[in-house]
Amino acid sequence: MTDKLTLDFCDVHIYENYMVVTIKTGVNITITHNKVLTNIANTYFSNKQFVYITHRVNSYSVDPAVYKEVAKVKNLSGFCVVSQNYMAKSTAQIEKLFLDKPFEIFDMLPEAITWANSIL
C-alpha cells in the first residue's frame, strides 16, 4: 500500500508499516496538526502497529505538548527523524526526551525504513 496525501502543512506518504511525513517550511506543528496526522494514522493503521518517520528536509518547529499526545497513540511502535541538518538532529535529541516510545535519528530515509521494518 502506498498513498500520498498533500495537506496544507505537510505531505504524507503511507506505506504498509510506516508513514513518512514531510512538514512544509515555516510551519509550527501544534496539537491541531497532530490531530490531523493521528486521524490519518488511525485510518490507515487502525488495527496494526506502525512507525512514524518525519523527513526533516524543511525548517519548522514543534510545540513540545504534541509529544504527550503522540505518546497516547497505542499502535505507534516507533518514531524517527531523518535529517542531515545538525540543528534538526540536535532538536530531535531534545524531542526524544518528551516521547516514551522508541525514537531514533537517521541521516538517510532508507536507514529509517530499515529500522521501522526491524521493530515491527
Side-chain angles (χ1 to χ4, degrees):
M1 151 180 52
T2 58
D3 281 343
K4 179 182 179 190
L5 307 172
T6 301
L7 307 174
D8 62 337
F9 67 96
C10 71
D11 292 321
V12 182
H13 293 266
I14 307 291
Y15 297 90
E16 186 175 348
N17 299 317
Y18 58 90
M19 59 193 288
V20 179
V21 180
T22 305
I23 305 294
K24 295 181 179 173
T25 301
V27 173
N28 177 38
I29 296 298
T30 64
I31 290 175
T32 302
H33 294 108
N34 185 66
K35 285 179 183 175
V36 172
L37 293 170
T38 299
N39 287 338
I40 291 169
N42 288 338
T43 299
Y44 285 90
F45 305 106
S46 61
N47 295 312
K48 65 185 287 188
Q49 297 293 306
F50 75 101
V51 172
Y52 182 100
I53 300 172
T54 176
H55 194 193
R56 294 193 176 168
V57 293
N58 301 314
S59 178
Y60 65 92
S61 60
V62 179
D63 178 345
V66 166
Y67 289 101
K68 281 188 175 185
E69 296 304 311
V70 171
K72 295 176 186 176
V73 179
K74 292 185 174 130
N75 59 331
L76 177 66
S77 292
F79 185 100
C80 64
V81 173
V82 177
S83 181
Q84 293 184 341
N85 179 285
Y86 174 79
M87 286 304 295
K89 289 162 119 180
S90 296
T91 300
Q93 286 291 349
I94 295 166
E95 292 168 348
K96 197 174 188 177
L97 302 172
F98 293 98
L99 187 62
D100 189 24
K101 300 257 185 190
F103 189 126
E104 295 294 331
I105 302 166
F106 298 99
D107 289 327
M108 304 296 288
L109 196 53
E111 298 169 313
I113 292 167
T114 298
W115 177 76
N117 288 323
S118 77
I119 67 167
L120 292 172

